[in-house]
Amino acid sequence: MSAADGGLPPLLGNGRTALLGGLVLSGAGLAVASAGVAHLISQLDRIPDTWGRILFVALLAVLVGAVASLRILERVLAEKLGQNYVQEIRLIVLRSALAGTRGPSLAITVARTTNDLNSVRNWMTYGVSALAVGIPLILALVVALWILSPVLAPTILLPMVLLSTLLGLLVGPAYRRSRALRKQRGRLGAQIGDSLAAALAIRAGGGEERELRRLEELGTTVSAAAVSRAAVAGALRAGAAAAASASAVAVAVVGTFAGLDHLTIAAGLTLVGLVAAPIHELGRCVEYLQSFRAARHVLGPVLAPVPVLAPPVGAAPSKGAPGSEGGPGPLVEATAIRLPGDGEPFDLAARPGERLLVTSVDPQRVAALFETFLGLRHDGAASVRINGREVIGLPSRDRRALIGYARRGLPVERGTIARAVRYRHPDLPESVVRRELELAGMRGLDALPRAEQTVLRRGGEPLSVSDRAKVHVARAMLKSPPLLLMDHIDADLGPDGVAALVDRLASYPGVVIAATDAPERLRGSWSRLSLDELNAKPIPLDQPLPRRRELRDGGLRPGVPQSRR
């Protein structure tokens, strides 16, 4: 399966072909060096003098060093192969988690990027590499045994056939038990994550002991599943160890019964000893493979291609785009917006300097409207244009320059304060950070350990809630984007932050769309946009808003409807 089909990425890709080739060549090199060691041992009685023995020891040391060096190279290449493959999958999983509007819990996402990917890494690092190295090595050493004496070749072949039969019988149980263990681990991880997220509610309800008992029960189930899988894993490893030991015993017994000289038997035992490690690793391949298959079953749906939002079919440049014939048009224009519920799609247009206050009895409708304007939500017909540019499907670099967004309770990504403020415009110098934060009402920046270079963790610590909101406001208003979206951000800003926001909005040149639970905090002239009323009846672009409201000291008061002109 390919990543494009929703499966894992192909094995031969992204530089992995060369790594696999290197592993195969290292296996061939190990076979040649091992055969050379065996040949030297078989010729011990033919060394005539002291200098010959010195040369013999030197050659033997070189070959043993070559074996050691090739084993080191094998491990390095195998680790590179595993890390390369896992890194590609990790990025796909995280891209899917970042793009999804409703994804799995945090604990599940962490489990996928650690536990499941660890199983994938083990298979690539210890499974695929063991096959790439072990198969040519074992075949080459069988040939070397045949060259030593034809009667010795079956001493490896027969145990390998028996081992293959055992591995085939244990494939099914190993997979089923790996799936069962993974499922139980996932349940335990999700329960732990949800319990920690609801810690305050659990403590307030006096349910600590109940939650701990529940976690203990799930932990016991995980332990039982792990022990069950360990039994199959033990059988796999025991079979491999038995095959390696049986090969050594068979060489000694067959060689003695066949009347071979002791040096030939010693050379055969040397070859079997050198092949014992690959046989052990091949025995563990089945264990790694079944864990990999269980992880693939979980990761497969997550690796489905992230849908890319495309502009509506037939979208044309806005007739009212700025600079078009007939004078300046709407700065922000949206058509065919459909929100959750049974309402009809509606259209909306706003000119520079216009401010809309969004209201609805359903918070999901407000959130859906913001997601639509952000270009993150598309039902196939909606169109959002800013400065005449279609937002839906626009590359993120261009979209973030057109839209500023701040929302109540929005965590701040890990990084410095300077990085957070410049997130929409990372190319700007850090000198703009302090000025933007001061304009957002943030004081006491120098009281932080490293001022604007202070690293924010766990959603914005060590900043207070109000200072985190001011960071988001500073980011959203950086370089005055044409569209500014304020989603209940005033609830987190605090009095000084709200005052600073109102002062800036008074002269903001672009379009502002805001939602708030306390409209009296916002002063100035606002158009009230009721999503419930708009959804009840489509609003043409050239028609006035259903109502006009003026935000004064007393809050919302009826005003005069304003035409869209």
Side-chain angles (χ1 to χ4, degrees), residues 349-358 483-484 486 501-514 522-529 545 547-552 562 564:
R351 297 178 182 276
E354 193 160 2
R355 292 180 291 176
L356 305 178
L357 181 67
V358 179
L483 176 59
L484 184 62
M486 299 276 110
L501 177 62
V502 170
D503 289 343
R504 295 195 71 182
L505 293 182
S507 58
Y508 193 77
V511 174
V512 181
I513 300 179
L522 304 179
R523 306 177 187 277
S525 179
W526 290 77
S527 296
R528 179 177 178 270
L529 177 61
L545 286 169
R547 267 178 241 183
R548 176 76 174 172
R549 293 291 188 267
E550 298 295 332
L551 293 179
R552 304 295 187 194
Q562 182 185 28
R564 287 295 183 192

Side-chain angles (χ1 to χ4, degrees), residues 21 160 162 269 312 396 423 487 519 547 560:
M160 291 304 300
L162 295 176
L269 290 174
S396 58
Y423 203 77
D487 187 359
R547 267 178 241 183
V560 180

